[in-house]
Amino acid sequence: MDWLTIALLLFFGLVFLAAEVIFIPGTTVVGLVGFGLLAAGIWFGYRDLGSSTGHILLVGSLAITGALVYWGLRPKNLNRVALTQVNHTKVHDVRHPDVLPGAVGRTLSALRPAGTVLFQDDRREVTTRGEFVPAGSEVRVLGIEHNRIVVELVA
């Protein structure tokens, strides 16, 4: 193999490693292809150009690869691909219900024994203790059992 082919193997190996470290980190396939091209170039360099040239190619490839990894893993470059924003939103905790016992709402559907009730502007799925409640009736929250809102018809 001539020196131009070996140089191209090393060049494209370094290009693939640079692409893996700098532009598309975490894909692994591109990095493995680059590592394979570098290894083949160094091996052919030892085989066809002699051990002294092979040593030079090995040390040069290691130095350039080390510099690429150092440059690609700097915090400034990692911040481009890492999630650095903080999410300050909240999730509704079911242990702290927003519909309290005693709240009054109007049924949007018939409760047989479960259905939908409108409490002010909030639609909630509720259930009764077994009785039928027609749509459009006023109901009162008796309590919250586990994850169910239990209601009764307001008389």
Side-chain angles (χ1 to χ4, degrees):
M1 202 169 277
D2 62 339
W3 66 270
L4 183 60
T5 306
I6 293 170
L8 287 175
L9 282 172
L10 294 173
F11 174 75
F12 283 113
L14 289 172
V15 167
F16 275 67
L17 280 178
E20 168 71 30
V21 171
I22 298 170
F23 301 113
I24 47 175
T27 59
T28 308
V29 174
V30 177
L32 289 176
V33 169
F35 178 75
L37 289 173
L38 273 178
I42 292 169
W43 185 74
F44 284 128
Y46 272 110
R47 188 186 77 174
D48 296 341
L49 302 176
S51 66
S52 62
T53 306
H55 289 323
I56 292 170
L57 293 176
L58 176 64
V59 170
S61 296
L62 286 175
I64 293 172
T65 302
L68 282 173
V69 169
Y70 173 75
W71 188 68
L73 296 180
R74 290 185 315 186
K76 175 183 167 190
N77 291 338
L78 285 178
N79 285 340
R80 291 186 310 160
V81 295
L83 180 63
T84 57
Q85 296 175 345
V86 177
N87 188 354
H88 294 290
T89 60
K90 294 187 280 187
V91 175
H92 178 66
D93 190 358
V94 296
R95 295 173 296 181
H96 304 290
D98 55 348
V99 179
L100 299 175
V104 176
R106 183 163 304 280
T107 59
L108 297 176
S109 66
L111 306 183
R112 300 183 188 134
T116 306
V117 172
L118 183 67
F119 294 101
Q120 294 166 356
D121 292 331
D122 297 325
R123 293 173 60 129
R124 295 287 183 256
E125 294 296 317
V126 301
T127 185
T128 64
R129 297 233 183 244
E131 63 270 5
F132 171 78
V133 178
S137 303
E138 281 195 353
V139 291
R140 179 183 309 114
V141 176
L142 291 175
I144 298 182
E145 298 173 355
H146 303 291
N147 62 347
R148 299 181 321 160
I149 301 172
V150 180
V151 297
E152 68 177 351
L153 183 63
V154 175

